[in-house]
Protein backbone atom coordinates (compact mmCIF):
# COMPACT_ATOMS: atom_id res chain seq x y z
CA UNK A 1 0.00 0.00 0.00
CA UNK A 2 1.43 3.39 -0.96
CA UNK A 3 2.19 5.79 1.84
CA UNK A 4 1.57 9.50 1.82
CA UNK A 5 4.65 11.52 2.76
CA UNK A 6 4.34 14.95 4.37
CA UNK A 7 5.27 16.52 1.04
CA UNK A 8 2.63 14.70 -1.00
CA UNK A 9 -0.67 16.53 -1.65
CA UNK A 10 -3.73 14.88 -0.13
CA UNK A 11 -5.60 12.62 -2.54
CA UNK A 12 -8.39 14.41 -4.36
CA UNK A 13 -11.92 13.44 -3.45
CA UNK A 14 -13.64 11.79 -6.40
CA UNK A 15 -16.35 13.91 -8.00
CA UNK A 16 -19.89 12.73 -7.18
CA UNK A 17 -21.40 10.65 -9.96
CA UNK A 18 -24.33 13.06 -10.24
CA UNK A 19 -22.22 16.24 -10.19
CA UNK A 20 -23.14 18.65 -13.02
CA UNK A 21 -20.51 19.18 -15.73
CA UNK A 22 -18.32 22.28 -15.36
CA UNK A 23 -19.65 25.53 -16.75
CA UNK A 24 -17.29 25.61 -19.73
CA UNK A 25 -18.43 22.11 -20.74
CA UNK A 26 -22.08 23.19 -20.56
CA UNK A 27 -21.30 26.23 -22.72
CA UNK A 28 -19.42 23.99 -25.19
CA UNK A 29 -22.40 21.61 -25.39
CA UNK A 30 -24.86 24.45 -25.90
CA UNK A 31 -22.68 26.08 -28.55
CA UNK A 32 -22.25 22.74 -30.32
CA UNK A 33 -26.02 22.29 -30.36
CA UNK A 34 -26.47 25.68 -32.00
CA UNK A 35 -23.73 24.96 -34.55
CA UNK A 36 -25.43 21.70 -35.47
CA UNK A 37 -28.72 23.57 -35.81
CA UNK A 38 -27.14 25.72 -38.51
CA UNK A 39 -27.12 28.96 -36.51
CA UNK A 40 -23.64 29.52 -37.94
CA UNK A 41 -23.10 27.77 -41.31
CA UNK A 42 -20.06 25.51 -41.88
CA UNK A 43 -16.99 27.60 -42.69
CA UNK A 44 -18.53 30.76 -41.22
CA UNK A 45 -16.57 32.73 -38.60
CA UNK A 46 -17.89 32.67 -35.03
CA UNK A 47 -18.55 35.89 -33.11
CA UNK A 48 -15.65 37.05 -30.92
CA UNK A 49 -15.09 35.84 -27.37
CA UNK A 50 -16.57 38.97 -25.82
CA UNK A 51 -19.77 38.68 -27.83
CA UNK A 52 -20.08 34.98 -27.05
CA UNK A 53 -19.51 35.73 -23.36
CA UNK A 54 -22.35 38.25 -23.45
CA UNK A 55 -24.60 35.83 -25.34
CA UNK A 56 -24.04 32.94 -22.91
CA UNK A 57 -23.76 35.29 -19.89
CA UNK A 58 -20.43 33.84 -18.76
CA UNK A 59 -16.85 35.13 -18.51
CA UNK A 60 -14.52 35.29 -21.50
CA UNK A 61 -12.28 32.70 -19.83
CA UNK A 62 -15.21 30.26 -19.71
CA UNK A 63 -15.87 30.90 -23.41
CA UNK A 64 -12.18 30.37 -24.16
CA UNK A 65 -12.21 27.00 -22.37
CA UNK A 66 -15.41 25.98 -24.21
CA UNK A 67 -13.87 26.84 -27.59
CA UNK A 68 -10.76 24.83 -26.68
CA UNK A 69 -12.98 21.79 -26.07
CA UNK A 70 -14.58 22.13 -29.52
CA UNK A 71 -11.18 22.63 -31.17
CA UNK A 72 -9.80 19.46 -29.58
CA UNK A 73 -12.82 17.58 -30.91
CA UNK A 74 -12.15 18.90 -34.42
CA UNK A 75 -15.37 20.93 -34.55
CA UNK A 76 -13.69 24.32 -34.84
CA UNK A 77 -10.66 25.58 -36.68
CA UNK A 78 -8.81 28.78 -35.79
CA UNK A 79 -6.63 31.08 -37.87
CA UNK A 80 -5.64 34.74 -37.69
CA UNK A 81 -9.20 35.73 -38.64
CA UNK A 82 -10.81 33.84 -35.76
CA UNK A 83 -12.61 30.54 -35.13
CA UNK A 84 -14.55 28.85 -37.92
CA UNK A 85 -17.13 26.07 -37.88
CA UNK A 86 -15.68 22.76 -39.09
CA UNK A 87 -18.91 20.72 -39.01
CA UNK A 88 -19.84 18.94 -42.25
CA UNK A 89 -22.55 20.58 -44.28
CA UNK A 90 -23.14 22.97 -47.17
CA UNK A 91 -20.42 25.64 -47.29
CA UNK A 92 -21.08 29.22 -46.35
CA UNK A 93 -22.30 31.22 -49.32
CA UNK A 94 -24.40 28.40 -50.80
CA UNK A 95 -28.07 29.01 -51.57
CA UNK A 96 -29.88 29.90 -48.35
CA UNK A 97 -32.52 27.38 -47.26
CA UNK A 98 -36.00 28.32 -46.09
CA UNK A 99 -35.30 29.67 -42.60
CA UNK A 100 -37.12 28.36 -39.54
CA UNK A 101 -39.07 29.84 -37.92
CA UNK A 102 -40.81 32.20 -40.31
CA UNK A 103 -39.63 35.73 -39.55
CA UNK A 104 -36.30 34.74 -37.97
CA UNK A 105 -33.53 37.28 -38.33
CA UNK A 106 -29.88 36.90 -39.36
CA UNK A 107 -27.95 33.68 -38.77
CA UNK A 108 -25.61 34.95 -36.04
CA UNK A 109 -27.34 35.51 -32.69
CA UNK A 110 -27.85 39.27 -32.29
CA UNK A 111 -28.58 41.06 -29.04
CA UNK A 112 -32.19 40.36 -28.08
CA UNK A 113 -32.40 37.12 -30.08
CA UNK A 114 -33.53 34.13 -28.02
CA UNK A 115 -34.81 30.68 -28.94
CA UNK A 116 -35.68 27.76 -26.66
CA UNK A 117 -37.60 24.50 -26.83
CA UNK A 118 -40.01 23.07 -24.29
CA UNK A 119 -42.10 19.90 -24.01
CA UNK A 120 -45.58 21.13 -23.13
CA UNK A 121 -49.24 21.23 -24.14
CA UNK A 122 -49.67 23.45 -27.22
CA UNK A 123 -52.44 26.05 -27.62
CA UNK A 124 -55.80 24.49 -28.61
CA UNK A 125 -55.61 25.89 -32.17
CA UNK A 126 -52.15 24.35 -32.61
CA UNK A 127 -53.34 20.98 -31.30
CA UNK A 128 -56.29 21.04 -33.71
CA UNK A 129 -54.09 21.98 -36.69
CA UNK A 130 -51.63 19.15 -35.89
CA UNK A 131 -54.26 16.51 -35.11
CA UNK A 132 -53.08 16.14 -31.52
CA UNK A 133 -55.30 14.85 -28.74
CA UNK A 134 -56.31 17.81 -26.53
CA UNK A 135 -53.98 18.08 -23.56
CA UNK A 136 -51.23 15.99 -25.17
CA UNK A 137 -47.81 17.68 -24.92
CA UNK A 138 -45.44 18.05 -27.84
CA UNK A 139 -42.18 19.77 -28.75
CA UNK A 140 -42.62 23.54 -28.93
CA UNK A 141 -40.15 26.18 -30.08
CA UNK A 142 -40.25 29.74 -28.70
CA UNK A 143 -38.44 32.53 -30.55
CA UNK A 144 -38.10 36.21 -29.64
CA UNK A 145 -36.08 38.90 -31.35
CA UNK A 146 -35.74 42.67 -31.05
CA UNK A 147 -33.52 45.13 -32.85
CA UNK A 148 -31.29 47.60 -31.01
CA UNK A 149 -33.30 49.60 -28.51
CA UNK A 150 -36.05 46.99 -28.34
CA UNK A 151 -37.64 48.09 -31.61
CA UNK A 152 -38.97 45.77 -34.28
CA UNK A 153 -39.87 43.09 -31.76
CA UNK A 154 -41.07 39.77 -33.12
CA UNK A 155 -42.15 36.59 -31.35
CA UNK A 156 -42.85 33.16 -32.82
CA UNK A 157 -44.29 30.04 -31.22
CA UNK A 158 -44.04 26.73 -33.12
CA UNK A 159 -45.63 23.38 -32.30
CA UNK A 160 -44.43 20.17 -33.99
CA UNK A 161 -46.65 17.22 -34.84
CA UNK A 162 -46.23 13.60 -33.79
CA UNK A 163 -45.35 12.82 -37.44
CA UNK A 164 -42.48 15.33 -37.46
CA UNK A 165 -41.05 13.96 -34.21
CA UNK A 166 -41.40 10.34 -35.37
CA UNK A 167 -39.75 10.83 -38.78
CA UNK A 168 -37.21 13.62 -38.24
CA UNK A 169 -34.43 12.29 -36.03
CA UNK A 170 -32.84 15.67 -35.34
CA UNK A 171 -36.11 17.05 -33.94
CA UNK A 172 -36.77 13.98 -31.81
CA UNK A 173 -33.44 14.47 -30.04
CA UNK A 174 -34.64 17.76 -28.62
CA UNK A 175 -37.23 16.12 -26.39
CA UNK A 176 -34.57 15.43 -23.74
CA UNK A 177 -33.26 19.02 -24.03
CA UNK A 178 -36.67 20.73 -23.95
CA UNK A 179 -36.22 22.52 -20.63
CA UNK A 180 -37.25 25.97 -21.85
CA UNK A 181 -33.93 27.40 -20.64
CA UNK A 182 -31.05 26.31 -22.89
CA UNK A 183 -30.78 28.03 -26.25
CA UNK A 184 -32.09 26.01 -29.19
CA UNK A 185 -31.88 27.56 -32.63
CA UNK A 186 -33.57 25.18 -35.09
CA UNK A 187 -32.78 27.11 -38.24
CA UNK A 188 -32.18 23.93 -40.23
CA UNK A 189 -35.46 22.28 -39.22
CA UNK A 190 -36.79 22.37 -42.79
CA UNK A 191 -33.54 20.88 -44.12
CA UNK A 192 -33.87 18.05 -41.59
CA UNK A 193 -37.41 17.38 -42.79
CA UNK A 194 -36.30 17.24 -46.41
CA UNK A 195 -33.44 14.87 -45.55
CA UNK A 196 -36.02 12.62 -43.89
CA UNK A 197 -37.72 12.26 -47.29
CA UNK A 198 -40.53 14.75 -46.65
CA UNK A 199 -41.72 17.15 -49.34
CA UNK A 200 -42.73 20.38 -47.65
CA UNK A 201 -45.83 22.37 -48.46
CA UNK A 202 -46.41 25.53 -46.46
CA UNK A 203 -49.23 28.03 -46.31
CA UNK A 204 -48.80 31.43 -44.67
CA UNK A 205 -51.76 33.52 -43.54
CA UNK A 206 -50.94 37.19 -42.92
CA UNK A 207 -53.36 39.44 -41.02
CA UNK A 208 -53.16 42.92 -39.51
CA UNK A 209 -53.92 43.01 -35.81
CA UNK A 210 -56.72 45.47 -35.01
CA UNK A 211 -55.77 48.54 -32.96
CA UNK A 212 -52.07 47.58 -32.94
CA UNK A 213 -49.03 48.13 -35.12
CA UNK A 214 -48.50 44.38 -35.49
CA UNK A 215 -48.86 41.78 -38.21
CA UNK A 216 -49.69 38.17 -37.42
CA UNK A 217 -48.34 35.40 -39.65
CA UNK A 218 -49.54 31.84 -39.22
CA UNK A 219 -47.54 29.21 -41.11
CA UNK A 220 -48.82 25.66 -41.53
CA UNK A 221 -46.49 23.04 -43.02
CA UNK A 222 -47.53 19.59 -44.23
CA UNK A 223 -45.83 16.83 -46.22
CA UNK A 224 -46.60 15.10 -49.51
CA UNK A 225 -49.18 12.92 -47.76
CA UNK A 226 -51.05 15.94 -46.35
CA UNK A 227 -49.81 15.08 -42.86
CA UNK A 228 -49.25 18.17 -40.67
CA UNK A 229 -45.66 18.77 -39.59
CA UNK A 230 -45.64 22.09 -37.77
CA UNK A 231 -47.57 25.28 -37.16
CA UNK A 232 -45.95 28.62 -36.31
CA UNK A 233 -47.64 31.74 -34.95
CA UNK A 234 -45.54 34.88 -35.52
CA UNK A 235 -46.19 38.45 -34.36
CA UNK A 236 -44.15 41.28 -35.91
CA UNK A 237 -44.02 44.87 -34.68
CA UNK A 238 -44.40 46.73 -37.98
CA UNK A 239 -43.43 50.14 -36.57
CA UNK A 240 -39.75 49.28 -36.83
CA UNK A 241 -39.58 45.75 -38.23
CA UNK A 242 -40.07 44.46 -41.76
CA UNK A 243 -41.07 40.94 -42.77
CA UNK A 244 -39.22 39.89 -45.93
CA UNK A 245 -40.22 36.91 -48.06
CA UNK A 246 -37.81 35.36 -50.55
CA UNK A 247 -38.85 32.83 -53.19
CA UNK A 248 -36.79 30.68 -55.53
CA UNK A 249 -38.73 29.59 -58.60
CA UNK A 250 -37.74 26.48 -60.60
CA UNK A 251 -36.32 27.02 -64.07
CA UNK A 252 -38.71 26.59 -66.95
CA UNK A 253 -38.56 23.04 -68.28
Amino acid sequence: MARTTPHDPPPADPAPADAPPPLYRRVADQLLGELRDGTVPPGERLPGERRLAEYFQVSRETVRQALDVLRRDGLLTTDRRGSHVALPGPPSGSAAPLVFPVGARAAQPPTGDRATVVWETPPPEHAAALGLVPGRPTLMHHYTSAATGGNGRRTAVTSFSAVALAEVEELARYRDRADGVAGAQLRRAYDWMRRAGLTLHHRDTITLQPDTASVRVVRRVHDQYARPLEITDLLVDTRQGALVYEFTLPAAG
Side-chain angles (χ1 to χ4, degrees):
M1 179 180 297
R3 295 187 304 169
T4 301
T5 68
H7 302 287
D8 292 331
D13 294 332
D18 58 349
L23 181 58
Y24 73 87
R25 169 58 72 175
R26 281 177 277 162
V27 171
D29 290 343
Q30 185 175 341
L31 180 56
L32 177 57
E34 297 196 8
L35 296 179
R36 284 176 171 163
D37 294 342
T39 303
V40 184
E44 189 71 23
R45 184 163 61 92
L46 286 180
E49 289 180 359
R50 183 173 66 180
R51 189 173 179 185
L52 287 173
E54 293 172 352
Y55 179 64
F56 290 110
Q57 297 184 341
V58 297
S59 69
R60 292 182 66 176
E61 177 60 28
T62 298
V63 167
R64 194 171 296 118
Q65 290 177 309
L67 295 178
D68 285 342
V69 169
L70 297 180
R71 289 191 195 98
R72 287 198 300 267
D73 291 342
L75 303 173
L76 290 179
T77 59
T78 301
D79 57 25
R80 60 184 178 83
R81 294 182 299 130
S83 297
H84 303 262
V85 183
L87 293 173
S92 175
S94 60
L98 187 63
V99 175
F100 172 90
V102 56
R105 295 187 190 270
Q108 291 190 1
T111 302
D113 185 38
R114 181 67 173 160
T116 60
V117 288
V118 64
W119 186 263
E120 66 181 13
T121 303
E125 60 270 24
H126 281 208
L130 299 177
L132 296 174
V133 176
R136 177 180 177 179
T138 190
L139 185 70
M140 297 187 62
H141 183 266
H142 295 265
Y143 171 85
T144 62
S145 179
T148 303
N151 296 321
R153 180 176 175 83
R154 55 187 65 186
T155 62
V157 178
T158 300
S159 300
F160 292 98
S161 71
V163 172
L165 297 179
E167 300 201 10
V168 182
E169 180 182 357
E170 293 88 347
L171 285 177
R173 292 176 186 158
Y174 274 89
R175 178 168 182 171
D176 295 334
R177 297 173 52 189
D179 58 6
V181 178
Q185 301 280 354
L186 305 187
R187 294 184 182 274
R188 296 184 62 189
Y190 294 136
D191 286 341
W192 298 339
M193 292 178 182
R194 292 188 183 107
R195 286 206 301 262
L198 303 177
T199 300
L200 306 186
H201 303 269
H202 66 88
R203 178 181 180 182
D204 295 350
T205 303
I206 305 174
T207 57
L208 292 173
Q209 299 303 286
D211 303 322
T212 68
S214 299
V215 170
R216 182 186 184 192
V217 181
V218 178
R219 167 168 290 177
R220 293 176 173 85
V221 179
H222 64 272
D223 68 5
Q224 63 268 41
Y225 308 109
R227 299 178 300 178
L229 298 175
E230 64 103 337
I231 177 172
T232 296
D233 202 329
L234 167 74
L235 280 178
V236 179
D237 179 0
T238 56
R239 289 171 298 184
Q240 298 290 336
L243 185 63
V244 180
Y245 279 80
E246 294 184 0
F247 297 91
T248 300
L249 300 178

